[in-house]
Amino acid sequence: MKRHAIVGTGGRAGMYVQALCETWSADNRLVALCDLSRVRMAWHNGRLQELYGHPPVPAYHADDFDRMVAETRPDVVIVATMDSAHHLYIIRAMQLGCDVICEKPMTIDDGKARAIFDTIAATGRQLRVTFNYRYAPAHSRLRELIAAGTIGRPLHVSLNWLLDTSHGADYFRRWHREKHNSGGLLVHKATHHFDLVNWWIDSWPQQVSAIGDLKFYGAANAAARGEYYSYDRYTGEPAARDDPFALFLDQDPALTSLYLDAEAETGYRRDRNVFGEPVTIEDTCCVTVRYRSGALLAYSLVAYAPWEGYRVAISGTRGRLELDVVESTKTAASKTSAEAEERHIAASKGAYRHTELRVFPHFADSWTADIPVARGGHGGADPLMLEQLFSPGPPQDPLGRGASHLDGAASILTGIAANHSIATRRPVNVDDLLQLP
């Protein structure tokens, strides 16, 4: 029986609670929760009994992390805190003798990444990073085709990712909107995308150039369009009633319990005006990458599109693969967490609006690849990832989807280097930030 503790009990923690207390409870045990907010931990403990028939577990304030480890003796600590604190709990958990499972991104800058690597070297503990996108059927199928030599050696990747005015806007309501918390979208969000490219083409980034700006969100952009918003947050604000970007925490029980009721403890507001201040991250980004293999990547990210999805094309020595995914065509912002997660609910039913993977061999007819249908969060990816994490005998994985600290670092280093490039207006050599094997 493997013992687990969770530090950081926001919305994402629920996936791990269910896995440990229901799906994989025969071989795993949740022994403790740890957070800045006792209100949030009490909400999760209430659901343990209600949903899973599991008794409440000890709840520790974040300041008592060491005491939690000493008293509850977890084998593994699951880190799901704000991104900027990931390194603190990864490092301390390892120093106290625990392995770690960490939500992406592993951390937000190169200094923190080096500190994590030093701790792994000193303690010998294991770190896994949860890249659930690797397990999505379309992404796994793309990896299979490349590994089989369908297009030969990958030479060029084009990846365009669109976040819409519901999901994309949400990063500008939350703590993610300040770069010192999240590393910006090129670290927090794009770590998924860069990890996919690394994994698909089996190579790591060598040199990165980037440009990025705040073009749509933020007070200055709203004023330039002739739009004026005098309120700092949405909940309780009558003037926000018809604001298409508004999110009302008091209209959803989960948001009320996890965030609104916890404000007195934490001071954190989950529903900031996307056109307020401060917003210090970019919403429009272009990145180019040269890989160790010699392959090139052209990547773009827009966080205010009218539909959500992505288009990837990989050209190789024997042909080309093209994957198109439309996750959502919803254009208005969401008023409740249920609506805000509409695309993920659809994904959990295997119901993305459109997914197509096409193969274009040199000197032969093109064809459309089959994509298996899977059920569960993130297009069927979450259950497969959780099985790899918590099954006592995880199934064979010839695609190598489990991500180590090396994979976690390789993915964030593209975004971190991009942030440096934006700041300096110069290309950045990844090895100058952190040398990977």
Side-chain angles (χ1 to χ4, degrees):
M1 179 74 69
K2 187 166 286 190
R3 301 166 64 86
H4 297 76
I6 300 174
V7 55
T9 59
R12 189 64 175 160
M15 177 183 75
Y16 298 108
V17 170
Q18 180 178 9
L20 295 170
C21 298
E22 185 181 52
T23 312
W24 300 104
S25 59
D27 300 287
N28 298 275
R29 183 179 174 190
L30 177 63
V31 298
L33 300 174
C34 184
D35 199 281
L36 291 170
S37 169
R38 295 196 178 279
V39 170
R40 277 198 289 267
M41 292 187 286
W43 183 81
H44 281 287
N45 260 329
R47 288 168 61 85
L48 282 177
Q49 178 64 43
E50 176 186 352
L51 297 180
Y52 314 119
H54 191 289
V57 299
Y60 294 81
H61 189 272
D63 292 341
D64 297 323
F65 180 80
D66 285 20
R67 183 164 67 87
M68 177 198 74
V69 173
E71 293 179 355
T72 65
R73 298 174 289 105
D75 302 299
V76 179
V77 172
I78 300 171
V79 178
T81 64
M82 185 184 300
D83 298 350
S84 57
H86 282 183
H87 71 293
L88 299 175
Y89 294 105
I90 292 171
I91 290 170
R92 191 59 184 149
M94 289 181 170
Q95 291 172 340
L96 295 173
C98 304
D99 290 329
V100 178
I101 296 170
C102 183
E103 272 288 296
K104 63 82 192 168
M106 187 178 80
T107 188
I108 64 169
D109 63 47
D110 43 297
K112 295 178 177 63
R114 288 192 295 272
I116 291 171
F117 269 54
D118 290 345
T119 304
I120 292 172
T123 64
R125 306 312 306 186
Q126 183 183 68
L127 171 62
R128 301 246 344 231
V129 184
T130 56
F131 286 119
N132 49 9
Y133 274 34
R134 290 186 175 202
Y135 297 83
H139 302 158
S140 295
R141 186 72 174 107
L142 183 57
R143 169 67 175 163
E144 286 177 352
L145 291 171
I146 294 175
T150 306
I151 61 167
R153 182 167 61 90
L155 302 176
H156 182 272
V157 182
S158 173
L159 178 55
N160 302 308
W161 209 285
L162 303 178
L163 301 172
D164 66 19
T165 50
S166 174
H167 185 201
D170 210 36
Y171 293 109
F172 295 83
R173 300 184 192 108
R174 300 182 285 177
W175 52 263
H176 307 73
R177 63 195 258 155
E178 297 183 67
K179 189 170 282 192
H180 69 269
N181 290 331
S182 65
L185 292 178
L186 286 175
V187 173
H188 174 82
K189 183 62 179 174
T191 185
H192 268 317
H193 314 156
F194 298 138
D195 175 69
L196 283 176
V197 176
N198 296 347
W199 178 59
W200 281 333
I201 69 173
D202 194 24
S203 188
W204 285 343
Q206 184 179 68
Q207 186 179 72
V208 178
S209 297
I211 53 177
D213 286 302
L214 183 64
K215 294 285 193 182
F216 185 83
Y217 300 105
N221 291 314
R225 294 192 299 270
E227 302 169 5
Y228 299 94
Y229 301 84
S230 60
Y231 40 88
D232 178 65
R233 67 178 305 177
Y234 298 116
T235 303
E237 176 54 62
R241 182 180 59 184
D242 298 321
D243 185 340
F245 290 91
L247 175 72
F248 302 108
L249 302 181
D250 56 358
Q251 292 185 9
D252 180 273
L255 290 178
T256 299
S257 299
L258 287 173
Y259 300 107
L260 190 60
D261 291 348
E263 283 184 11
E265 287 180 302
T266 65
Y268 170 54
R269 293 183 174 185
R270 169 68 175 77
D271 62 337
R272 300 290 299 278
N273 188 340
V274 300
F275 299 111
E277 296 291 355
V279 177
T280 58
I281 66 173
E282 300 83 10
D283 58 23
T284 310
C285 304
C286 298
V287 181
T288 57
V289 184
R290 181 184 298 276
Y291 287 83
R292 291 182 179 182
S293 66
L296 304 178
L297 165 67
Y299 170 85
S300 68
L301 174 67
V302 169
Y304 46 88
W307 61 273
E308 177 140 342
Y310 48 98
R311 290 171 172 161
V312 58
I314 303 178
S315 297
T317 55
R318 296 180 181 175
R320 178 179 173 93
L321 293 167
E322 295 182 358
L323 173 64
D324 287 352
V325 176
V326 177
E327 294 185 357
S328 173
T329 56
K330 184 177 179 64
T331 57
S334 304
K335 301 300 186 289
T336 71
S337 65
E339 292 173 351
E341 294 300 312
E342 177 179 294
R343 71 189 44 76
H344 300 304
I345 293 172
S348 72
K349 299 175 182 177
Y352 281 152
R353 298 293 180 91
H354 174 75
T355 303
E356 186 176 22
L357 176 56
R358 299 184 302 276
V359 183
F360 298 88
H362 285 162
F363 317 115
D365 292 336
S366 63
W367 50 281
T368 300
D370 61 295
I371 299 174
V373 176
R375 299 180 66 84
H378 289 90
D382 286 349
L384 295 174
M385 181 188 73
L386 293 170
E387 181 181 21
Q388 286 286 333
L389 291 173
F390 300 125
S391 170
Q396 293 295 315
D397 183 19
L399 297 178
R401 290 173 292 192
S404 69
H405 67 287
L406 296 175
D407 300 302
S411 69
I412 59 171
L413 283 171
T414 302
I416 292 168
N419 281 337
H420 283 299
S421 181
I422 290 170
T424 63
R425 300 187 178 185
R426 294 180 178 178
V428 175
N429 292 319
V430 171
D431 281 350
D432 292 340
L433 304 178
L434 176 66
Q435 290 193 355
L436 296 175

